[in-house]
């Protein structure tokens, strides 16, 4: 991911788990509520989905074949609790619930300070070769 789609600035290992961080920018919030910019819900989901892939690749149980990456294909229940505004530092935490050579499943949360700004359950990613597009069914 690059530019507008790159919603994680850095990843740190805390207590053996990867935790993602992202600083919300004016660009990310552009056009989302005049004079009161906030991060879109879809970007919060994408941020947590990206972190799911990173966690799967860094997992001690990593079964993803060389030259493959997880691609998000399903999102279950999503809740947005507090806004994230330009300048806010978002912390992203995920939990893997299933890992195999073909499927990654999990859930995640995003926080600004102690406030939970998003919770997403039922995340599913399929493992695909790098550079290959997913086929429509």
């Amino acid at each position: 991911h690059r530019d507008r789609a790159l919603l994680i600035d850095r990843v740190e290992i805390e207590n053996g788990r990867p935790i993602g961080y992202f600083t919300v920018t004016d660009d990310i919030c552009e056009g989302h509520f005049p004079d009161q910019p906030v991060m879109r819900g879809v970007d919060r989901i994408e941020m947590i989905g990206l972190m799911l892939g990173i966690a799967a690749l860094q997992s001690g149980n990593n079964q993803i074949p060389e030259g493959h990456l997880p691609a998000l294909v399903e999102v279950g229940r999503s809740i947005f609790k507090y806004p994230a505004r330009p300048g806010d530092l978002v912390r992203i935490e995920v939990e893997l619930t299933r890992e195999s050579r073909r499927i990654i499943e999990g859930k995640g949360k995003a926080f600004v300070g102690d406030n939970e700004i998003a919770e997403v359950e039922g995340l599913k990613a399929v493992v695909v070769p790098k550079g290959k597009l997913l086929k429509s069914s």
Side-chain angles (χ1 to χ4, degrees):
H1 286 73
R2 299 290 179 266
D3 300 327
R4 171 74 173 78
L6 185 59
L7 299 173
I8 296 178
D9 295 330
R10 72 181 192 279
V11 175
E12 296 179 2
I13 305 300
E14 298 177 14
N15 298 321
R17 294 178 46 194
I19 306 293
Y21 292 91
F22 177 72
T23 301
V24 180
T25 64
D26 288 320
D27 294 356
I28 294 298
C29 300
E30 185 178 349
H32 201 232
F33 295 119
D35 301 323
Q36 294 184 23
V38 296
M39 185 178 210
R40 295 168 186 85
V42 68
D43 288 328
R44 298 178 202 199
I45 293 170
E46 177 69 13
M47 174 189 310
I48 293 169
L50 287 169
M51 199 59 219
L52 180 78
I54 291 169
L57 289 167
Q58 294 186 351
S59 166
N61 298 327
N62 182 0
Q63 300 178 40
I64 298 173
E66 185 71 31
H68 289 64
L69 292 172
L72 190 63
V73 295
E74 187 175 317
V75 177
R77 183 177 74 102
S78 303
I79 299 172
F80 310 115
K81 299 181 178 183
Y82 289 92
R85 296 183 170 90
D88 285 346
L89 178 63
V90 179
R91 184 178 79 254
I92 308 111
E93 301 176 5
V94 297
E95 179 184 332
L96 299 170
T97 57
R98 178 181 176 204
E99 297 177 74
S100 74
R101 293 178 55 84
R102 298 193 32 94
I103 302 288
I104 307 299
E105 293 180 2
K107 58 186 176 179
K109 295 181 179 184
F111 301 85
V112 171
D114 292 332
N115 293 324
E116 185 179 303
I117 65 163
E119 179 180 351
V120 182
E121 294 180 354
L123 290 168
K124 183 184 282 187
V126 295
V127 178
V128 296
K130 288 182 185 177
K132 299 287 183 182
L133 296 176
L134 297 176
K135 291 183 179 180
S136 299
S137 49

